Amino acid sequence: DAGVTQSPTHLIKTRGQQVTLRCSPKSGHDTVSWYQQALGQGPQFIFQYYEEEERQRGNFPDRFSGHQFPNYSSELNVNALLLGDSALYLCASSPPGFGYTFGSGTRLTVV
Amino acid sequence: AQKITQTQPGMFVQEKEAVTLDCTYDTSDQSYGLFWYKQPSSGEMIFLIYQGSYDEQNATEGRYSLNFQKARKSANLVISASQLGDSAMYFCAMREWAGGGADGLTFGKGTHLIIQP
């Protein structure tokens, strides 16, 4: 049984560009959350999707947006990239009830 | 104020010794949950152990146990008989239930644990 799958694993973008990161949740999980982890820091909660809607949002600007599809997979979009957006982006899925399974992340570098 | 505080940026421990990683938290909610995750260099966050705020007994999972002191708002992770493979970053995290439904985790800054042979 595959766990949480994220793509791509690494990405290099230029300032001002837009990026889309993808996440496939673990089988049986219907909720997807996204986190940003800057180098040397703990992950910070970006937002959570459930039933194709954003259910909760952390302290991130509107440049960060997302989507959840009927098959529960999710995308994270970041517009107008800044150097400070360079980080590891983690996706976590959870089943109805309790528990979180994290993917290995997408490492985004903005140059 | 920080919601999760991990005061040990790095720790060196001899193999087979027990190690305690500190975590204090700040919340006004009565209902919350505390988690510990391990993050090796690959980046994946690996779940280790969970403690609910209403759980009266300390959680245990194999070599991992959580020393939960509610009055002190402390949730330290104890790893018994440490192994070389335990070398990694360790994060304490909290979920607060007051908002109802949504459940983003708040993480600390982590402790880099290095097990020495």
Side-chain angles (χ1 to χ4, degrees), chain A residues 76-99:
Chain A
L76 164 65
N77 301 293
V78 187
N79 294 323
L81 283 167
L82 304 173
L83 295 180
D85 295 331
S86 296
L88 178 68
Y89 288 85
L90 293 163
C91 172
S93 70
S94 45
F98 177 80

Side-chain angles (χ1 to χ4, degrees), chain A residues 35 37 42-43 48 55-56 100, chain B residues 39 91 95 102-105 108:
Chain A
Y35 293 81
Q37 185 177 18
Q48 183 180 83
R55 188 162 72 165
Q56 186 187 21
Y100 311 86
Chain B
Q39 187 179 42
F91 291 95
R95 170 188 168 175
D103 52 5
L105 294 173

Side-chain angles (χ1 to χ4, degrees), chain A residues 40, chain B residues 6-12 21-22 88-90 109-114:
Chain B
Q6 294 182 252
T7 57
Q8 305 151 311
M11 287 185 72
F12 288 87
L21 304 181
D22 295 340
M89 285 293 295
Y90 287 80
K109 293 188 175 182
T111 295
H112 188 190
L113 176 64
I114 297 174

Side-chain angles (χ1 to χ4, degrees), chain B residues 48-107:
Chain B
L48 297 178
I49 197 165
Y50 168 79
Q51 180 86 38
S53 59
Y54 293 116
D55 296 339
E56 294 186 353
Q57 291 195 335
N58 287 343
T60 59
E61 291 282 353
R63 294 187 299 114
Y64 304 106
S65 61
L66 199 152
N67 184 0
F68 182 47
Q69 297 187 43
K70 195 170 181 177
R72 294 186 176 186
K73 293 188 175 178
S74 167
N76 298 341
L77 175 71
V78 180
I79 306 174
S80 63
S82 58
Q83 302 171 357
L84 296 178
D86 293 334
S87 295
M89 285 293 295
Y90 287 80
F91 291 95
C92 179
M94 176 171 64
R95 170 188 168 175
E96 296 166 286
W97 263 263
D103 52 5
L105 294 173
T106 302
F107 284 84

